[in-house]
């Protein structure tokens, strides 16, 4: 494959029917869906401006329009849902999940848009654009935080974006609520993992209680301040939470996933004004990872 092509024929055949196709009505010639997707991938992989897209992909305005529409109607979420369902049917999902977040610096071109700050936003609905556009101010300046729930192989199952200063632990329960892997052939989607690995940021009473009530093994270390508070209370502090240190070593898969994600320069630095557009590119990156996992082409 050339530098301008990332998807093999086998990989493209897995998602082709979920993308827009010609309607048969008169008008302008319908753009080739594969070229549009390859153009979107090329732009985020190289981190270039839309206007600098090579002519091999056609007019850059058309590629941008495709990406904006696919981001708005949730196409990439449906594609990812199909791929995870196929992987689950083939037994290729490791249900010992890991959770974490990573920071992406927002470029000045992504921040020259009016945004409402100071009020809380609802990040549980990825189809709705939050009023602050998932841009916040932290030590690194204007940033966006990407939260992901990955399986035991480091492949993303759920993705969410919040402002950079947002904490990690409040986003865990929304991520678990969004976890729905469809069963091929019917039946209820799978929503409960076998185990959940997280760092000390996810150690809270509410999270541990939620995992315990759903019979999910919590592989989360206890911070020193929580240990001190528990010991000071004596017998009223209760027993220390169970922690599998050997299993916790496998949490590195989510860190490696973020390393692969940031190899796309357009994701390592955010250039998109809208959060739903930027998140759609992150989901597209996850789609490419699952396509490689399911197809015979590395």
């Amino acid at each position: 494959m050339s530098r301008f092509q990332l998807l093999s024929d086998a990989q493209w055949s897995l998602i082709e029917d979920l993308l827009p196709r010609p309607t048969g009505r008169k008008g302008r010639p319908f753009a080739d869906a594969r070229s549009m997707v390859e153009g979107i991938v090329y732009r985020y992989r190289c981190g270039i401006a839309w206007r600098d897209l090579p002519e091999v992909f056609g007019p850059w305005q058309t590629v941008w329009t495709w990406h904006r529409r696919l981001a708005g109607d949730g196409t990439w979420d449906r594609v990812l849902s199909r791929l995870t369902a196929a992987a689950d049917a083939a037994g290729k999902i490791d249900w010992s999940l890991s959770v974490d977040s990573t920071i992406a610096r927002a470029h000045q071109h992504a921040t020259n848009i009016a945004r409402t700050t100071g009020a809380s936003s609802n990040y549980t609905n990825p189809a709705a654009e939050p009023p602050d556009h998932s841009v916040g101010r932290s030590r690194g300046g204007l940033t966006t935080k990407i939260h992901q729930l990955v399986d035991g192989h480091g492949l993303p199952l759920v993705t969410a974006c919040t402002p950079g200063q947002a904490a990690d632990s409040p986003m865990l329960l929304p991520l678990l609520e969004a976890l729905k892997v469809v069963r091929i052939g019917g039946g209820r989607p799978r929503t409960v993992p076998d185990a959940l690995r997280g760092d000390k940021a996810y150690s809270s009473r509410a999270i541990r209680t939620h995992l315990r009530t759903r019979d999910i093994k919590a592989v989360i270390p206890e911070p020193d301040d929580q240990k001190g508070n528990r010991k000071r209370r004596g017998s009223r502090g209760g027993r220390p939470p169970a922690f599998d240190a050997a299993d916790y070593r496998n949490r590195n898969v989510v860190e490696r996933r973020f390393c692969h994600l940031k190899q796309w320069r357009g994701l390592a630095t955010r250039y998109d004004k809208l959060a739903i557009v930027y998140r759609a590119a992150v989901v597209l990156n996850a789609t490419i990872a699952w396509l490689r996992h399911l197809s015979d082409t590395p």
Side-chain angles (χ1 to χ4, degrees):
M1 293 185 290
S2 70
R3 178 67 177 168
F4 302 121
Q5 185 178 352
L6 182 68
L7 300 175
S8 66
D9 293 339
Q11 293 169 347
W12 176 250
S13 64
L14 296 176
I15 64 174
E16 181 179 8
D17 60 315
L18 292 178
L19 297 172
R21 288 176 288 181
T23 60
R25 293 180 295 182
K26 295 181 179 180
R28 294 182 178 179
F30 194 81
D32 178 61
R34 185 168 183 176
S35 296
M36 297 297 102
V37 173
E38 294 284 6
I40 297 170
V41 171
Y42 186 90
R43 186 264 176 177
Y44 282 97
R45 189 177 59 177
C46 299
I48 59 177
W50 287 103
R51 294 175 181 270
D52 295 332
L53 268 180
E55 295 181 356
V56 67
F57 300 115
W60 69 267
Q61 297 95 330
T62 305
V63 182
W64 151 249
T65 301
W66 269 67
H67 180 50
R68 177 63 183 88
R69 290 177 178 175
L70 295 179
D73 62 14
T75 296
W76 291 122
D77 289 294
R78 291 192 294 271
V79 171
L80 184 61
S81 177
R82 167 185 285 190
L83 296 180
T84 54
D88 185 51
K92 292 187 176 183
I93 294 182
D94 184 345
W95 283 98
S96 294
L97 308 188
S98 299
V99 63
D100 208 348
S101 66
T102 186
I103 289 284
R105 183 68 181 269
H107 192 268
Q108 61 181 354
H109 293 168
T111 59
N112 57 353
I113 183 174
R115 62 183 188 275
T116 302
T117 59
S120 60
S121 300
N122 180 14
Y123 300 102
T124 59
N125 182 12
E129 178 69 18
D132 57 10
H133 306 295
S134 296
V135 175
R137 189 175 295 278
S138 60
R139 284 189 177 183
L142 294 175
T143 54
T144 293
K145 183 176 283 189
I146 303 172
H147 305 260
Q148 283 195 330
L149 198 63
V150 305
D151 80 332
H153 303 294
L155 297 171
L157 296 171
V158 184
T159 299
C161 292
T162 62
Q165 81 278 6
D168 289 348
S169 58
M171 286 303 301
L172 177 57
L173 298 187
L175 288 174
L176 288 174
E177 291 176 1
L179 177 63
K180 293 180 176 63
V181 175
V182 180
R183 303 292 181 91
I184 295 180
R188 293 182 178 180
R190 177 160 183 176
T191 60
V192 180
D194 297 328
L196 180 71
R197 309 185 191 104
D199 58 21
K200 294 180 181 180
Y202 299 95
S203 178
S204 71
R205 182 177 299 177
I207 289 177
R208 293 186 185 276
T209 301
H210 178 81
L211 297 180
R212 186 165 51 250
T213 55
R214 301 189 68 187
D215 198 21
I216 302 173
K217 177 184 176 182
V219 187
I220 304 173
E222 187 181 20
D224 292 338
D225 61 337
Q226 293 183 9
K227 290 181 182 179
N229 293 334
R230 176 172 49 79
K231 291 179 180 179
R232 276 193 296 269
R233 298 185 63 187
S235 60
R236 293 179 300 172
R239 297 179 179 179
F243 175 62
D244 190 342
D247 190 17
Y248 183 72
R249 297 176 183 174
N250 297 318
R251 196 189 66 85
N252 68 85
V253 295
V254 67
E255 305 290 356
R256 299 207 309 266
R257 165 44 40 192
F258 289 140
C259 290
H260 287 292
L261 183 147
K262 290 191 173 182
Q263 289 180 6
W264 284 20
R265 295 168 180 260
L267 298 181
T269 301
R270 173 177 168 177
Y271 299 98
D272 300 297
K273 293 180 175 63
L274 299 182
I276 58 174
V277 174
Y278 180 70
R279 179 188 172 275
V282 178
V283 177
L284 174 58
N285 179 273
T287 299
I288 301 298
W290 278 106
L291 285 173
R292 289 176 173 173
H293 188 61
L294 292 173
S295 68
D296 57 352
T297 302

